[in-house]
mmCIF file of all heavy atoms in Angstrom:
data_model
loop_
_atom_site.group_PDB
_atom_site.id
_atom_site.type_symbol
_atom_site.label_atom_id
_atom_site.label_comp_id
_atom_site.label_asym_id
_atom_site.label_seq_id
_atom_site.Cartn_x
_atom_site.Cartn_y
_atom_site.Cartn_z
ATOM 1 N N LEU A 156 76.167 87.343 92.845
ATOM 2 C CA LEU A 156 77.109 86.290 92.565
ATOM 3 C C LEU A 156 77.718 85.673 93.867
ATOM 4 O O LEU A 156 77.748 86.456 94.808
ATOM 5 C CB LEU A 156 78.262 86.733 91.620
ATOM 6 C CG LEU A 156 77.868 87.221 90.258
ATOM 7 C CD1 LEU A 156 79.094 87.627 89.416
ATOM 8 C CD2 LEU A 156 77.060 86.151 89.475
ATOM 9 N N TYR A 157 78.034 84.452 93.825
ATOM 10 C CA TYR A 157 78.643 83.822 94.928
ATOM 11 C C TYR A 157 80.176 83.681 94.684
ATOM 12 O O TYR A 157 80.622 83.793 93.511
ATOM 13 C CB TYR A 157 78.111 82.340 95.078
ATOM 14 C CG TYR A 157 76.734 82.354 95.636
ATOM 15 C CD1 TYR A 157 75.608 82.425 94.759
ATOM 16 C CD2 TYR A 157 76.451 82.293 97.007
ATOM 17 C CE1 TYR A 157 74.275 82.457 95.289
ATOM 18 C CE2 TYR A 157 75.141 82.373 97.562
ATOM 19 C CZ TYR A 157 74.048 82.413 96.627
ATOM 20 O OH TYR A 157 72.827 82.471 97.140
ATOM 21 N N PRO A 158 80.999 83.494 95.700
ATOM 22 C CA PRO A 158 82.470 83.469 95.561
ATOM 23 C C PRO A 158 82.934 82.503 94.460
ATOM 24 O O PRO A 158 83.897 82.805 93.740
ATOM 25 C CB PRO A 158 82.982 83.079 96.970
ATOM 26 C CG PRO A 158 81.913 83.662 97.933
ATOM 27 C CD PRO A 158 80.630 83.473 97.139
ATOM 28 N N LYS A 159 82.256 81.327 94.367
ATOM 29 C CA LYS A 159 82.712 80.330 93.391
ATOM 30 C C LYS A 159 82.584 80.880 91.937
ATOM 31 O O LYS A 159 83.229 80.270 91.063
ATOM 32 C CB LYS A 159 82.028 79.037 93.556
ATOM 33 C CG LYS A 159 80.505 79.128 93.232
ATOM 34 C CD LYS A 159 79.846 77.831 93.463
ATOM 35 C CE LYS A 159 78.316 77.897 93.176
ATOM 36 N NZ LYS A 159 77.657 76.565 93.395
ATOM 37 N N GLU A 160 81.806 81.876 91.797
ATOM 38 C CA GLU A 160 81.557 82.438 90.400
ATOM 39 C C GLU A 160 82.512 83.623 90.120
ATOM 40 O O GLU A 160 82.408 84.201 89.025
ATOM 41 C CB GLU A 160 80.089 82.915 90.335
ATOM 42 C CG GLU A 160 79.098 81.790 90.552
ATOM 43 C CD GLU A 160 77.618 82.336 90.633
ATOM 44 O OE1 GLU A 160 77.271 82.943 91.592
ATOM 45 O OE2 GLU A 160 76.929 82.146 89.575
ATOM 46 N N LEU A 161 83.429 83.876 91.043
ATOM 47 C CA LEU A 161 84.390 84.978 90.883
ATOM 48 C C LEU A 161 85.785 84.511 90.663
ATOM 49 O O LEU A 161 86.139 83.468 91.211
ATOM 50 C CB LEU A 161 84.274 85.961 92.027
ATOM 51 C CG LEU A 161 82.899 86.475 92.536
ATOM 52 C CD1 LEU A 161 83.041 87.242 93.830
ATOM 53 C CD2 LEU A 161 82.320 87.383 91.410
ATOM 54 N N SER A 162 86.566 85.334 89.994
ATOM 55 C CA SER A 162 88.032 85.065 89.890
ATOM 56 C C SER A 162 88.677 85.442 91.247
ATOM 57 O O SER A 162 88.106 86.111 92.073
ATOM 58 C CB SER A 162 88.688 85.908 88.789
ATOM 59 O OG SER A 162 88.613 87.252 89.146
ATOM 60 N N GLY A 163 90.006 85.006 91.419
ATOM 61 C CA GLY A 163 90.657 85.335 92.634
ATOM 62 C C GLY A 163 90.811 86.834 92.863
ATOM 63 O O GLY A 163 90.614 87.340 94.006
ATOM 64 N N GLY A 164 91.119 87.603 91.808
ATOM 65 C CA GLY A 164 91.172 88.998 91.917
ATOM 66 C C GLY A 164 89.901 89.692 92.289
ATOM 67 O O GLY A 164 89.813 90.626 93.089
ATOM 68 N N MET A 165 88.782 89.173 91.717
ATOM 69 C CA MET A 165 87.492 89.694 92.063
ATOM 70 C C MET A 165 87.116 89.381 93.500
ATOM 71 O O MET A 165 86.540 90.236 94.164
ATOM 72 C CB MET A 165 86.396 89.172 91.096
ATOM 73 C CG MET A 165 86.564 89.619 89.679
ATOM 74 S SD MET A 165 85.465 88.843 88.527
ATOM 75 C CE MET A 165 83.869 89.503 89.037
ATOM 76 N N ARG A 166 87.462 88.248 93.961
ATOM 77 C CA ARG A 166 87.198 87.876 95.367
ATOM 78 C C ARG A 166 87.891 88.808 96.328
ATOM 79 O O ARG A 166 87.365 89.274 97.298
ATOM 80 C CB ARG A 166 87.614 86.438 95.635
ATOM 81 C CG ARG A 166 86.796 85.391 94.979
ATOM 82 C CD ARG A 166 87.183 84.067 95.384
ATOM 83 N NE ARG A 166 86.615 82.998 94.466
ATOM 84 C CZ ARG A 166 86.642 81.711 94.699
ATOM 85 N NH1 ARG A 166 87.187 81.224 95.771
ATOM 86 N NH2 ARG A 166 86.159 80.886 93.839
ATOM 87 N N GLN A 167 89.160 89.110 95.973
ATOM 88 C CA GLN A 167 89.949 90.039 96.824
ATOM 89 C C GLN A 167 89.342 91.390 96.779
ATOM 90 O O GLN A 167 89.326 92.134 97.820
ATOM 91 C CB GLN A 167 91.410 90.064 96.423
ATOM 92 C CG GLN A 167 92.370 90.634 97.523
ATOM 93 C CD GLN A 167 92.360 89.834 98.802
ATOM 94 O OE1 GLN A 167 91.295 89.839 99.537
ATOM 95 N NE2 GLN A 167 93.414 89.307 99.205
ATOM 96 N N ARG A 168 88.840 91.866 95.682
ATOM 97 C CA ARG A 168 88.096 93.142 95.618
ATOM 98 C C ARG A 168 86.905 93.157 96.495
ATOM 99 O O ARG A 168 86.547 94.146 97.143
ATOM 100 C CB ARG A 168 87.772 93.484 94.191
ATOM 101 C CG ARG A 168 88.986 93.848 93.282
ATOM 102 C CD ARG A 168 88.624 93.979 91.843
ATOM 103 N NE ARG A 168 89.834 94.123 90.997
ATOM 104 C CZ ARG A 168 90.367 95.283 90.661
ATOM 105 N NH1 ARG A 168 89.831 96.396 91.047
ATOM 106 N NH2 ARG A 168 91.417 95.311 89.891
ATOM 107 N N VAL A 169 86.174 92.050 96.501
ATOM 108 C CA VAL A 169 85.019 91.982 97.426
ATOM 109 C C VAL A 169 85.487 92.066 98.877
ATOM 110 O O VAL A 169 84.822 92.737 99.716
ATOM 111 C CB VAL A 169 84.231 90.580 97.183
ATOM 112 C CG1 VAL A 169 83.138 90.426 98.242
ATOM 113 C CG2 VAL A 169 83.641 90.615 95.831
ATOM 114 N N SER A 170 86.575 91.368 99.204
ATOM 115 C CA SER A 170 87.085 91.440 100.619
ATOM 116 C C SER A 170 87.418 92.890 100.997
ATOM 117 O O SER A 170 87.274 93.395 102.059
ATOM 118 C CB SER A 170 88.327 90.584 100.768
ATOM 119 O OG SER A 170 87.984 89.191 100.583
ATOM 120 N N ILE A 171 88.084 93.599 100.027
ATOM 121 C CA ILE A 171 88.528 94.963 100.246
ATOM 122 C C ILE A 171 87.230 95.859 100.414
ATOM 123 O O ILE A 171 87.169 96.722 101.344
ATOM 124 C CB ILE A 171 89.375 95.524 99.093
ATOM 125 C CG1 ILE A 171 90.695 94.753 99.128
ATOM 126 C CG2 ILE A 171 89.579 97.037 99.227
ATOM 127 C CD1 ILE A 171 91.555 94.982 97.881
ATOM 128 N N ALA A 172 86.236 95.578 99.619
ATOM 129 C CA ALA A 172 84.994 96.358 99.715
ATOM 130 C C ALA A 172 84.318 96.172 101.103
ATOM 131 O O ALA A 172 83.819 97.140 101.739
ATOM 132 C CB ALA A 172 83.988 96.007 98.561
ATOM 133 N N ALA A 173 84.344 94.909 101.503
ATOM 134 C CA ALA A 173 83.695 94.639 102.872
ATOM 135 C C ALA A 173 84.518 95.318 103.967
ATOM 136 O O ALA A 173 83.895 95.753 105.003
ATOM 137 C CB ALA A 173 83.688 93.133 103.086
ATOM 138 N N ALA A 174 85.782 95.377 103.830
ATOM 139 C CA ALA A 174 86.659 96.068 104.804
ATOM 140 C C ALA A 174 86.424 97.560 104.843
ATOM 141 O O ALA A 174 86.541 98.235 105.860
ATOM 142 C CB ALA A 174 88.082 95.727 104.536
ATOM 143 N N LEU A 175 86.066 98.134 103.674
ATOM 144 C CA LEU A 175 85.938 99.537 103.556
ATOM 145 C C LEU A 175 84.546 100.098 103.805
ATOM 146 O O LEU A 175 84.348 101.346 103.882
ATOM 147 C CB LEU A 175 86.424 99.998 102.153
ATOM 148 C CG LEU A 175 87.896 99.922 101.862
ATOM 149 C CD1 LEU A 175 88.133 100.260 100.447
ATOM 150 C CD2 LEU A 175 88.706 100.749 102.832
ATOM 151 N N ILE A 176 83.564 99.270 103.850
ATOM 152 C CA ILE A 176 82.164 99.693 103.879
ATOM 153 C C ILE A 176 81.835 100.619 105.006
ATOM 154 O O ILE A 176 80.968 101.539 104.939
ATOM 155 C CB ILE A 176 81.191 98.453 103.723
ATOM 156 C CG1 ILE A 176 79.741 98.897 103.414
ATOM 157 C CG2 ILE A 176 81.263 97.663 104.994
ATOM 158 C CD1 ILE A 176 79.522 99.457 102.081
ATOM 159 N N LEU A 177 82.506 100.421 106.171
ATOM 160 C CA LEU A 177 82.278 101.276 107.334
ATOM 161 C C LEU A 177 83.232 102.436 107.402
ATOM 162 O O LEU A 177 83.318 103.206 108.354
ATOM 163 C CB LEU A 177 82.364 100.447 108.646
ATOM 164 C CG LEU A 177 81.256 99.425 108.788
ATOM 165 C CD1 LEU A 177 81.518 98.546 110.079
ATOM 166 C CD2 LEU A 177 79.920 100.040 108.863
ATOM 167 N N LYS A 178 83.948 102.668 106.325
ATOM 168 C CA LYS A 178 84.843 103.815 106.143
ATOM 169 C C LYS A 178 85.933 103.958 107.248
ATOM 170 O O LYS A 178 86.028 104.995 107.880
ATOM 171 C CB LYS A 178 83.990 105.124 106.056
ATOM 172 C CG LYS A 178 83.092 105.078 104.828
ATOM 173 C CD LYS A 178 82.246 106.372 104.658
ATOM 174 C CE LYS A 178 81.417 106.411 103.467
ATOM 175 N NZ LYS A 178 80.570 107.627 103.310
ATOM 176 N N PRO A 179 86.699 102.850 107.430
ATOM 177 C CA PRO A 179 87.767 103.108 108.416
ATOM 178 C C PRO A 179 88.897 103.953 107.841
ATOM 179 O O PRO A 179 88.959 104.143 106.601
ATOM 180 C CB PRO A 179 88.288 101.576 108.581
ATOM 181 C CG PRO A 179 87.988 101.003 107.250
ATOM 182 C CD PRO A 179 86.682 101.604 106.786
ATOM 183 N N ARG A 180 89.764 104.410 108.740
ATOM 184 C CA ARG A 180 90.899 105.169 108.281
ATOM 185 C C ARG A 180 92.152 104.260 108.110
ATOM 186 O O ARG A 180 93.139 104.659 107.426
ATOM 187 C CB ARG A 180 91.202 106.277 109.224
ATOM 188 C CG ARG A 180 90.185 107.432 109.177
ATOM 189 C CD ARG A 180 90.495 108.438 110.290
ATOM 190 N NE ARG A 180 91.831 108.983 110.192
ATOM 191 C CZ ARG A 180 92.395 109.593 111.214
ATOM 192 N NH1 ARG A 180 91.842 109.752 112.393
ATOM 193 N NH2 ARG A 180 93.637 110.106 111.072
ATOM 194 N N LEU A 181 92.082 103.106 108.724
ATOM 195 C CA LEU A 181 93.259 102.193 108.739
ATOM 196 C C LEU A 181 92.797 100.801 108.260
ATOM 197 O O LEU A 181 91.904 100.278 108.814
ATOM 198 C CB LEU A 181 93.909 102.143 110.104
ATOM 199 C CG LEU A 181 95.028 101.069 110.305
ATOM 200 C CD1 LEU A 181 96.174 101.346 109.387
ATOM 201 C CD2 LEU A 181 95.426 101.050 111.749
ATOM 202 N N LEU A 182 93.528 100.225 107.343
ATOM 203 C CA LEU A 182 93.373 98.907 106.920
ATOM 204 C C LEU A 182 94.609 98.092 107.259
ATOM 205 O O LEU A 182 95.767 98.572 107.036
ATOM 206 C CB LEU A 182 93.118 98.710 105.402
ATOM 207 C CG LEU A 182 91.711 99.002 104.848
ATOM 208 C CD1 LEU A 182 91.769 98.638 103.349
ATOM 209 C CD2 LEU A 182 90.640 98.408 105.623
ATOM 210 N N ILE A 183 94.456 96.864 107.800
ATOM 211 C CA ILE A 183 95.527 95.953 107.989
ATOM 212 C C ILE A 183 95.398 94.896 106.859
ATOM 213 O O ILE A 183 94.441 94.207 106.790
ATOM 214 C CB ILE A 183 95.512 95.299 109.381
ATOM 215 C CG1 ILE A 183 95.657 96.329 110.444
ATOM 216 C CG2 ILE A 183 96.626 94.247 109.458
ATOM 217 C CD1 ILE A 183 95.600 95.795 111.848
ATOM 218 N N ALA A 184 96.414 94.918 106.056
ATOM 219 C CA ALA A 184 96.416 93.924 104.910
ATOM 220 C C ALA A 184 97.478 92.855 105.137
ATOM 221 O O ALA A 184 98.648 93.094 105.101
ATOM 222 C CB ALA A 184 96.708 94.690 103.584
ATOM 223 N N ASP A 185 97.004 91.670 105.449
ATOM 224 C CA ASP A 185 97.832 90.592 105.791
ATOM 225 C C ASP A 185 98.118 89.695 104.602
ATOM 226 O O ASP A 185 97.243 88.870 104.216
ATOM 227 C CB ASP A 185 97.260 89.736 107.013
ATOM 228 C CG ASP A 185 98.170 88.717 107.545
ATOM 229 O OD1 ASP A 185 99.329 88.620 106.976
ATOM 230 O OD2 ASP A 185 97.810 88.048 108.549
ATOM 231 N N GLU A 186 99.223 89.881 103.933
ATOM 232 C CA GLU A 186 99.510 89.082 102.688
ATOM 233 C C GLU A 186 98.386 89.230 101.619
ATOM 234 O O GLU A 186 97.950 88.198 101.135
ATOM 235 C CB GLU A 186 99.893 87.667 103.066
ATOM 236 C CG GLU A 186 100.958 87.468 104.081
ATOM 237 C CD GLU A 186 102.370 87.393 103.442
ATOM 238 O OE1 GLU A 186 102.493 87.699 102.183
ATOM 239 O OE2 GLU A 186 103.314 87.149 104.186
ATOM 240 N N PRO A 187 98.019 90.412 101.360
ATOM 241 C CA PRO A 187 96.727 90.534 100.519
ATOM 242 C C PRO A 187 96.898 90.083 99.107
ATOM 243 O O PRO A 187 95.853 89.905 98.394
ATOM 244 C CB PRO A 187 96.450 92.063 100.617
ATOM 245 C CG PRO A 187 97.764 92.665 100.766
ATOM 246 C CD PRO A 187 98.529 91.728 101.661
ATOM 247 N N VAL A 188 98.079 89.904 98.586
ATOM 248 C CA VAL A 188 98.244 89.524 97.167
ATOM 249 C C VAL A 188 99.008 88.211 96.990
ATOM 250 O O VAL A 188 99.202 87.705 95.858
ATOM 251 C CB VAL A 188 98.933 90.596 96.377
ATOM 252 C CG1 VAL A 188 97.989 91.883 96.325
ATOM 253 C CG2 VAL A 188 100.331 90.955 96.846
ATOM 254 N N SER A 189 99.410 87.564 98.080
ATOM 255 C CA SER A 189 100.324 86.346 97.948
ATOM 256 C C SER A 189 99.607 85.164 97.327
ATOM 257 O O SER A 189 100.223 84.346 96.793
ATOM 258 C CB SER A 189 100.874 86.002 99.386
ATOM 259 O OG SER A 189 99.794 85.610 100.241
ATOM 260 N N ALA A 190 98.253 85.144 97.415
ATOM 261 C CA ALA A 190 97.554 84.045 96.822
ATOM 262 C C ALA A 190 97.116 84.271 95.369
ATOM 263 O O ALA A 190 96.418 83.412 94.754
ATOM 264 C CB ALA A 190 96.296 83.698 97.662
ATOM 265 N N LEU A 191 97.548 85.403 94.853
ATOM 266 C CA LEU A 191 97.124 85.770 93.453
ATOM 267 C C LEU A 191 98.336 85.650 92.478
ATOM 268 O O LEU A 191 99.448 85.740 92.917
ATOM 269 C CB LEU A 191 96.601 87.208 93.444
ATOM 270 C CG LEU A 191 95.556 87.556 94.493
ATOM 271 C CD1 LEU A 191 95.214 89.044 94.430
ATOM 272 C CD2 LEU A 191 94.272 86.764 94.232
ATOM 273 N N ASP A 192 97.959 85.414 91.226
ATOM 274 C CA ASP A 192 99.072 85.388 90.244
ATOM 275 C C ASP A 192 99.612 86.780 90.028
ATOM 276 O O ASP A 192 99.104 87.814 90.441
ATOM 277 C CB ASP A 192 98.637 84.778 88.943
ATOM 278 C CG ASP A 192 97.511 85.536 88.184
ATOM 279 O OD1 ASP A 192 97.664 86.783 88.136
ATOM 280 O OD2 ASP A 192 96.643 84.967 87.584
ATOM 281 N N VAL A 193 100.755 86.948 89.354
ATOM 282 C CA VAL A 193 101.538 88.162 89.284
ATOM 283 C C VAL A 193 100.716 89.290 88.651
ATOM 284 O O VAL A 193 100.758 90.427 89.155
ATOM 285 C CB VAL A 193 102.842 87.933 88.519
ATOM 286 C CG1 VAL A 193 103.596 89.208 88.318
ATOM 287 C CG2 VAL A 193 103.706 86.953 89.256
ATOM 288 N N THR A 194 100.007 88.937 87.568
ATOM 289 C CA THR A 194 99.218 90.018 86.948
ATOM 290 C C THR A 194 98.145 90.571 87.804
ATOM 291 O O THR A 194 97.945 91.816 87.927
ATOM 292 C CB THR A 194 98.605 89.555 85.603
ATOM 293 O OG1 THR A 194 99.665 89.073 84.759
ATOM 294 C CG2 THR A 194 97.837 90.578 84.915
ATOM 295 N N VAL A 195 97.421 89.666 88.531
ATOM 296 C CA VAL A 195 96.383 90.182 89.326
ATOM 297 C C VAL A 195 96.943 90.841 90.617
ATOM 298 O O VAL A 195 96.386 91.774 91.100
ATOM 299 C CB VAL A 195 95.493 88.928 89.769
ATOM 300 C CG1 VAL A 195 94.393 89.373 90.744
ATOM 301 C CG2 VAL A 195 94.902 88.344 88.576
ATOM 302 N N GLN A 196 98.099 90.415 91.081
ATOM 303 C CA GLN A 196 98.848 91.074 92.206
ATOM 304 C C GLN A 196 98.995 92.575 91.845
ATOM 305 O O GLN A 196 98.721 93.409 92.699
ATOM 306 C CB GLN A 196 100.185 90.456 92.442
ATOM 307 C CG GLN A 196 100.134 89.209 93.294
ATOM 308 C CD GLN A 196 101.611 88.775 93.647
ATOM 309 O OE1 GLN A 196 102.498 89.581 93.444
ATOM 310 N NE2 GLN A 196 101.751 87.557 94.120
ATOM 311 N N ALA A 197 99.476 92.787 90.660
ATOM 312 C CA ALA A 197 99.697 94.251 90.245
ATOM 313 C C ALA A 197 98.438 95.037 90.257
ATOM 314 O O ALA A 197 98.405 96.196 90.676
ATOM 315 C CB ALA A 197 100.389 94.237 88.860
ATOM 316 N N GLN A 198 97.335 94.430 89.770
ATOM 317 C CA GLN A 198 96.060 95.125 89.693
ATOM 318 C C GLN A 198 95.566 95.415 91.168
ATOM 319 O O GLN A 198 95.051 96.575 91.383
ATOM 320 C CB GLN A 198 94.965 94.281 88.983
ATOM 321 C CG GLN A 198 95.317 94.085 87.555
ATOM 322 C CD GLN A 198 94.450 92.993 86.886
ATOM 323 O OE1 GLN A 198 93.630 92.362 87.631
ATOM 324 N NE2 GLN A 198 94.566 92.828 85.557
ATOM 325 N N VAL A 199 95.712 94.517 92.068
ATOM 326 C CA VAL A 199 95.204 94.770 93.450
ATOM 327 C C VAL A 199 96.104 95.742 94.150
ATOM 328 O O VAL A 199 95.583 96.684 94.868
ATOM 329 C CB VAL A 199 95.174 93.424 94.239
ATOM 330 C CG1 VAL A 199 94.860 93.662 95.692
ATOM 331 C CG2 VAL A 199 94.117 92.476 93.613
ATOM 332 N N LEU A 200 97.378 95.732 93.907
ATOM 333 C CA LEU A 200 98.283 96.765 94.440
ATOM 334 C C LEU A 200 97.915 98.158 93.949
ATOM 335 O O LEU A 200 97.923 99.089 94.702
ATOM 336 C CB LEU A 200 99.738 96.396 94.144
ATOM 337 C CG LEU A 200 100.277 95.181 94.938
ATOM 338 C CD1 LEU A 200 101.722 94.893 94.456
ATOM 339 C CD2 LEU A 200 100.349 95.335 96.360
ATOM 340 N N ASP A 201 97.673 98.183 92.655
ATOM 341 C CA ASP A 201 97.266 99.519 92.056
ATOM 342 C C ASP A 201 95.960 99.984 92.732
ATOM 343 O O ASP A 201 95.835 101.201 92.993
ATOM 344 C CB ASP A 201 97.039 99.379 90.560
ATOM 345 C CG ASP A 201 98.362 99.248 89.811
ATOM 346 O OD1 ASP A 201 99.450 99.549 90.409
ATOM 347 O OD2 ASP A 201 98.346 98.868 88.636
ATOM 348 N N LEU A 202 95.022 99.085 92.989
ATOM 349 C CA LEU A 202 93.767 99.470 93.601
ATOM 350 C C LEU A 202 93.962 99.940 95.008
ATOM 351 O O LEU A 202 93.428 101.053 95.388
ATOM 352 C CB LEU A 202 92.814 98.226 93.692
ATOM 353 C CG LEU A 202 91.552 98.484 94.441
ATOM 354 C CD1 LEU A 202 90.702 99.489 93.804
ATOM 355 C CD2 LEU A 202 90.755 97.103 94.550
ATOM 356 N N LEU A 203 94.840 99.336 95.776
ATOM 357 C CA LEU A 203 95.141 99.693 97.172
ATOM 358 C C LEU A 203 95.754 101.135 97.170
ATOM 359 O O LEU A 203 95.449 101.962 97.953
ATOM 360 C CB LEU A 203 96.013 98.744 97.910
ATOM 361 C CG LEU A 203 95.390 97.386 98.181
ATOM 362 C CD1 LEU A 203 96.478 96.391 98.710
ATOM 363 C CD2 LEU A 203 94.239 97.543 99.124
#
C-alpha cells in the first residue's frame, strides 16, 4: 500500500516501524501525535 491508502494512525505506525527496523535503543519522537485526532492519539501513545 501507498501512504494515500492509509489512515493517519496507520501512517504513523509505518513511521514508527521504519524508525525501529534497525533496532535502536533510543527514539526521538517530535510531536508524534499532534497531527492525529484524540482517539488515534491514544492508540499511538499506547503503542509507544
